[in-house]
Amino acid sequence: MTHPGRILSIVSLAAGCVAIAGTACAQSTAQMPPKLKKQITVMEKVIDEMLVDSKNLLVASHEPTRGIYLPEFGVLFTLEAQILTPDRGEWWKDMGWDKKFKFETDKHGNYVVHLNDNDDDDDDSDKVDKDDKDSKKRELTKKELLKDREMRYENGKKEIKSALMEYGYTLTGLRDDQWVAIVAYIDDDDIFGEDEGETVLMRAKVSDLRAHDQGRLTDDAMASRVSIEEY
């Protein structure tokens, strides 16, 4: 779901990108080069495919990317995503349902639910001890999941950066002094806090992207020239 506040944030970033380019021409009426519109569409599909296939990021549709042409800046791509984590679908644990039901996974990856056989005659001390162990186990699991989220967040940024480095040069309708940028709003309550998210802005100079494609810049050199800002 697209949030109005995020749309305004992306628009503000777009305006900021124009300012970064050192121009006051955000209202410019310059026309888009004829072939650039098609190239932007192709680049959108490239980023879309990367996101859909990603093992780190989750998107709400198969076409989450939108490209915007800013005459004095270049092209800005925007997208929204969430962290893809292995605990999705296990929300019932937080509600204590795992005490009433037994959840198993069959060989096909489907959840199978069984009613737990609770013995009312169990010693209360045993229950307290078991609850304490379960609590420590859940705490450890949460730490592991948080670490997994953080790793996937970093890997997701690498995937976005790679898409920018490998395909940004295809926007041949841009000038060497213009930019290609990707703005990603990445949402995850456990990492960034409730109702919060991280906005990641990556941008690269078109001349650098072309030099990289032509072999005049190594992968490491190109990576060092990609500007990354996080808000």
Side-chain angles (χ1 to χ4, degrees):
M1 180 174 68
T2 301
H3 298 274
R6 296 179 190 177
I7 295 296
L8 291 175
S9 176
I10 288 173
V11 171
S12 298
L13 279 169
C17 286
V18 175
I20 291 172
T23 177
C25 299
Q27 303 299 324
S28 173
T29 58
Q31 292 185 347
M32 182 187 305
K35 62 180 179 181
L36 184 57
K37 183 176 182 179
K38 183 176 181 180
Q39 292 171 350
I40 290 174
T41 299
V42 172
M43 183 74 174
E44 286 175 342
K45 293 183 184 301
V46 167
I47 300 174
D48 286 345
E49 185 174 349
M50 178 274 293
L51 291 169
V52 171
D53 292 340
S54 174
K55 302 299 183 183
N56 303 293
L57 301 174
L58 177 69
V59 288
S61 74
H62 282 72
E63 297 179 343
T65 311
R66 292 292 179 269
I68 303 170
Y69 173 59
L70 303 171
E72 298 302 322
F73 174 79
V75 174
L76 176 70
F77 295 94
T78 66
L79 63 95
E80 291 189 29
Q82 291 181 311
I83 304 297
L84 181 61
T85 56
D87 63 316
R88 292 190 183 278
E90 296 186 357
W91 49 269
W92 39 267
K93 287 184 177 179
D94 295 330
M95 301 181 68
W97 287 9
D98 54 325
K99 296 179 181 179
K100 298 181 180 180
F101 303 94
K102 183 179 180 181
F103 294 80
E104 297 180 340
T105 304
D106 64 19
K107 63 180 181 180
H108 301 294
N110 301 314
Y111 282 113
V112 180
V113 183
H114 304 282
L115 181 65
N116 273 336
D117 294 326
N118 294 321
D119 187 352
D120 294 334
D121 295 330
D122 284 347
D123 185 76
D124 289 342
S125 62
D126 291 340
K127 290 182 179 180
V128 172
D129 184 58
K130 183 177 183 298
D131 288 345
D132 184 57
K133 289 181 179 178
D134 288 344
S135 177
K136 290 180 179 179
K137 184 177 179 180
R138 282 195 296 273
E139 182 179 353
L140 178 61
T141 300
K142 287 181 179 179
K143 289 181 180 179
E144 291 173 342
L145 290 174
L146 181 58
K147 183 178 180 180
D148 180 84
R149 280 182 169 90
E150 292 171 344
M151 179 188 70
R152 289 174 190 263
Y153 171 65
E154 294 300 325
N155 288 340
K157 289 193 298 182
K158 290 178 182 178
E159 289 178 328
I160 295 172
K161 184 177 181 179
S162 178
L164 174 60
M165 289 174 50
E166 296 301 323
Y167 298 98
Y169 79 93
T170 62
L171 300 171
T172 61
L174 294 176
R175 304 188 308 270
D176 277 350
D177 63 338
Q178 290 181 302
W179 298 81
V180 180
I182 300 177
V183 177
Y185 185 93
I186 302 178
D187 189 12
D188 189 283
D189 291 347
D190 287 323
I191 296 182
F192 309 118
E194 188 175 357
D195 296 328
E196 295 291 338
E198 191 80 352
T199 300
V200 182
L201 168 61
M202 300 186 188
R203 59 189 176 94
K205 206 69 173 287
V206 173
S207 57
D208 290 336
L209 292 168
R210 288 171 179 163
H212 176 243
D213 173 60
Q214 295 165 6
R216 292 185 285 110
L217 276 181
T218 65
D219 290 347
D220 289 342
M222 182 65 240
S224 69
R225 298 194 185 193
V226 176
S227 171
I228 303 178
E229 301 174 46
E230 299 175 68
Y231 304 91

